Amino acid sequence: MGPPKRPALKGLSQQIAAGRNGAGDSFVRETFRLPRPEARQTARDFLNRWPKAAYWSEVESWRIVGDDEIEFTMRRLKSAD
């Protein structure tokens, strides 16, 4: 009995891509890249439009890019049912 087999890279890369694209979940995602003040206002507007209590809205991820720009992804449910 030797070491365990490595997973097939094609299948693994497909699973990773599906996870990044939100396949299989009920969330809508929007990604923005804006200067810091505009990014803050955009996130506030998003959360006001789709409240967390009803849509489970949140900033899913964010990072600083370039010269004080923020790239971020907002997530919410498709409906508040």
Side-chain angles (χ1 to χ4, degrees):
M1 196 163 205
K5 282 188 165 183
R6 296 178 70 147
L9 292 181
K10 183 177 180 181
L12 182 59
S13 63
Q14 288 172 344
Q15 286 179 330
I16 291 169
R20 287 184 180 156
N21 293 332
D25 67 13
S26 299
F27 289 100
V28 174
R29 290 171 175 82
E30 293 182 58
T31 301
F32 304 90
R33 185 174 179 168
L34 301 166
R36 188 181 302 259
E38 292 174 36
R40 285 182 178 146
Q41 188 59 49
T42 299
R44 282 186 194 115
D45 293 344
F46 186 98
L47 294 171
N48 287 333
R49 186 170 183 187
W50 292 287
K52 182 176 179 101
Y55 292 91
W56 294 10
S57 303
E58 69 178 12
V59 177
E60 186 173 58
S61 64
W62 66 276
R63 68 186 181 116
I64 299 172
V65 290
D67 190 24
D68 204 37
E69 279 193 336
I70 308 295
E71 182 178 277
F72 61 103
T73 300
M74 300 296 296
R75 177 181 90 168
R76 67 175 173 86
L77 288 174
K78 292 178 184 177
S79 69
D81 293 343

